[in-house]
Every structure is written in structure tokens, then in C-alpha cells.
Amino acid sequence: MVFDAVIRTDHLPPGERFGHFRDQALDLPEPVELRSKVTSDFSAEASLRDFGTFSLIRFITTADADFGIRRSPRLIRKADPEEYRLLISMHGHSGIDQDGQQCLLGPGEMGFYHTSRPSEGWRASTGGPARLLMAGFPHSVLASPRITADRLVGVKLPADDSIARLLKSVLTELTNPARPHHASSAARLANVACDLFAVLLAGLLDQEEHLSPQVRGQALLVEIQQFIERNLSDPALSPAAVAAAHSIAPRTLHRLFQGHGLTVAAWIRQRRLERCRRDLTDPQSAEQPLSAIAARWGFADHPHLSRAFRRAYGLTPSEYRHLHRRGTGKGPADTHLQDEGAQFQAG
């Protein structure tokens, strides 16, 4: 993942780290003031990325001391991106205080605030590092001026909501250094994130009727793709089963997938083949029979997998596995299907 800007402290002497990070924080697109009683053991990194449709900050600190973040009227006048900001506490505990509403966030929990009004934030010392994701969405993402989310500021959002889980998954995917994305793939994921954010807030505000059919459809498509991903091992997974699980007509399901140039059945097969392809190159699966790999990912038997695999990649599973065992690295079949967030291809 290539970030537009990175602020880090590990290259500095310990005594200079907090002061450097504090000074850099005042020059962010959303400038904030940092304060801490303990600064001698501070180490942090902030990675910023602007996707055009929204911005994303990954914040990591190893400091085991409380510190605060303040956005004052003076700093708002200095610079304001005029965004709704979603805060996801990935590890550790943090808090938000805005407009008289205050909430404490634990691991996996989400909060919400507005960059255009004064706010306080803090990291609570819990004996370990803090890791946060902060996503900034412009008002236009909500797709309708009639949807206003002001009453949600300073409020903990339900992290167990299905749309919230999907949104967190997409944002995590966009900041995963182990899975870099090409520009086109990152742009698709960014569009998915915006749609999911709009659907999440509209649902919490009971204003779904103001969402466009396109936004609702994109969010539903991502939810269905996630469902398929979780159930690839089930041999009974079929377009009819997927439609029934989401209480929609089969024709509605097929219409959602039309933009990909694949039928629902072809999408399921593609995702199963990709999982098999990974297993065939995984050293931990090197001694597993092909029949076991086929069964694990929902194929009826080894011959069924072999036929589908050869049609997709031009090699049988045995040939593909042998090619990688010879240490040739990336085989020719890898060029046919790159798994760049394929489970989030809406948009």
C-alpha cells in the first residue's frame, strides 16, 4: 500500500519523538493538538491516503501512556476538510467527546464525529499499543442533502451491524500492507467504502428511503459477495441458495452481478478456484490429496475440480502444483486471475 504521506518517529531519538509528532499533527488536513504527561516513551506512525472520494488515516502508537487529541475552534479555522469522520479502534482503547456526547471505544468498536466542530479525543493506557483507522467522508457521500448525521456525533456506532462489519473489512483491506492494490482496484474499493458508509448512516438514522437504488444495490452486492466467500466450502451453495439467504428473487441477484460480466454461478466457481489455487501453492497443504482440496472448497470431487481448473488456468491442479514445487515462482496460470480484493468488487 502506497500512502500519500507518512509521519513517523522511529528515526528520532526518544526524547524528540513526541515533539516531532505533535508539530506534524498541526499540519494535517485536519490539524489537531496532541498533549501527553509522559513523552519519554512515545513512538507513533500516521499514514494518510486520499482516495478522492474519501480519505483514510492509519494511526499506530506504541506509547503506554495516556495522551489526548484536541481540535479547537482555532484549528478548525486554520483548516477544515468538512468531513464526517469514522473512527475504528482496531487495538487498544480510545475515546471521542463532541457536542456533549462522549463514548469510549474498545477493540473493534466504531465512533463518529464531525471535523467542523470542536472535539476531544484520547487514548487510554491499557498496557499495549493503540491502532486506529480514521476514515473521512465528505457530506456528498450521503447521496442526499436530506440525510444529516449530526445527531450521531460522539456516539458509539453498532459494530455488530452487518453493514458496519463490511465497511470495517473494506477499510482494513485498503490499509493492509501485505495486500497492495493497483490504482483501479483501490478506486473500486474506495467506491464500495463510500456506499457502505452511506448505507450504514442512513440505516442508523432510519432514512434509507433517501438512498439511491444504485447505492443500496452496491451495498447489497458486497454483502452477498461476503456471504459467498464465507460459504464456499458448502457444496449446496448455488444462486438459488444465495438469493434465498438474502430474501431476494433470483432475477434480482443475477441483475446485481451483470456489471461483472459473470453469472452468479461463474462468480462462485471463480472464487472456489482461487481458493484451490492458493492451497496448491501453500507449503502447509503440499501433502494434501487433491480430493481433499476439492472437497474443502465445495467441488463434488477431484475430476470436477480438475476440469474446471484446466478451463480457467490452462493447467490441471497436479500440473500447477508441480510447477510451483519446482520453485519457478509465479506460474503462467497466475496471470489469469489476480485476487485483488475480489470479494469487494462492487462499484
Side-chain angles (χ1 to χ4, degrees):
M1 182 68 190
V2 178
F3 289 93
D4 297 324
V6 178
I7 304 172
R8 57 195 316 163
T9 62
D10 56 357
H11 63 293
L12 297 171
E16 299 178 14
R17 291 174 180 174
F18 182 80
H20 172 78
F21 202 82
R22 180 191 57 206
D23 293 343
Q24 294 295 310
L26 290 171
D27 291 327
L28 292 171
E30 179 199 357
V32 293
E33 177 186 351
L34 301 182
R35 61 189 186 279
S36 177
K37 293 181 179 179
V38 179
T39 62
S40 58
D41 189 30
F42 184 85
S43 180
E45 177 181 309
S47 305
L48 298 79
R49 181 74 194 271
D50 186 350
F51 292 93
T53 51
F54 83 108
S55 61
L56 191 58
I57 300 176
R58 184 183 66 187
F59 178 69
I60 303 171
T61 176
T62 58
D64 189 24
D66 295 346
F67 67 87
I69 302 172
R70 181 170 181 261
R71 183 152 166 81
S72 65
R74 178 182 63 83
L75 292 178
I76 292 172
R77 289 193 297 271
K78 178 182 177 181
D80 181 18
E82 299 183 357
E83 294 176 338
Y84 291 120
R85 187 61 57 91
L86 183 69
L87 175 61
I88 306 175
S89 180
M90 305 299 292
H91 189 277
H93 290 75
S94 57
I96 303 173
D97 186 344
Q98 188 172 65
D99 290 359
Q101 295 281 354
Q102 187 179 99
C103 67
L104 178 66
L105 305 176
E109 295 182 327
M110 303 193 305
F112 184 79
Y113 69 98
H114 200 300
T115 65
S116 299
R117 297 205 291 278
S119 62
E120 297 271 351
W122 64 93
R123 184 264 168 138
S125 176
T126 56
R131 185 158 53 94
L132 308 172
L133 285 183
M134 293 173 279
F137 296 91
H139 302 169
S140 58
V141 166
L142 297 184
S144 170
R146 290 172 292 179
I147 300 179
T148 57
D150 291 351
R151 66 182 174 90
L152 295 178
V153 299
V155 174
K156 183 187 298 186
L157 304 185
D160 58 347
D161 178 273
S162 62
I163 296 298
R165 290 197 303 269
L166 285 171
L167 177 56
K168 183 166 63 175
S169 183
V170 172
L171 295 177
T172 302
E173 177 78 11
L174 280 169
T175 58
N176 185 353
R179 289 176 55 83
H181 295 280
H182 295 306
S184 59
S185 178
R188 285 195 296 269
L189 288 175
N191 288 334
V192 169
C194 291
D195 288 341
L196 291 173
F197 180 74
V199 172
L200 174 65
L201 263 60
L204 293 174
L205 296 165
D206 295 323
Q207 294 182 332
E208 295 98 327
E209 70 276 8
H210 296 323
L211 291 169
S212 70
Q214 180 182 9
V215 169
R216 288 197 297 268
Q218 295 286 45
L220 177 58
L221 175 57
V222 174
E223 188 171 359
I224 289 171
Q225 289 172 339
Q226 279 273 286
F227 174 84
I228 290 173
E229 203 73 16
R230 293 193 304 269
N231 292 276
L232 289 173
S233 62
D234 183 359
L237 183 67
S238 66
V242 172
H246 291 84
S247 302
I248 59 176
R251 64 178 178 275
T252 301
L253 176 65
H254 289 293
R255 188 163 58 246
L256 287 172
F257 277 80
Q258 282 178 349
H260 296 292
L262 291 174
T263 64
V264 184
W267 178 272
I268 294 172
R269 183 172 59 254
Q270 183 188 72
R271 299 305 302 142
R272 283 174 167 161
L273 286 170
E274 174 59 22
R275 292 300 187 94
C276 291
R277 188 178 71 90
R278 287 184 182 181
D279 283 359
L280 291 169
T281 60
D282 185 354
Q284 295 184 351
S285 302
E287 302 305 321
Q288 287 191 344
L290 295 177
S291 58
I293 294 176
R296 181 184 304 138
W297 299 115
F299 287 96
D301 48 37
H302 174 199
H304 182 201
L305 168 61
S306 293
R307 289 191 298 270
F309 200 93
R310 188 181 185 91
R311 283 196 299 269
Y313 304 127
L315 300 170
T316 67
S318 297
E319 292 168 340
Y320 187 84
R321 173 183 269 178
H322 179 67
L323 178 68
H324 282 267
R325 280 180 173 173
R326 288 168 50 197
T328 56
K330 179 181 270 194
D334 288 306
T335 61
H336 291 278
L337 177 59
Q338 295 296 327
D339 183 31
E340 296 180 2
Q343 65 269 43
F344 301 120
Q345 289 295 315

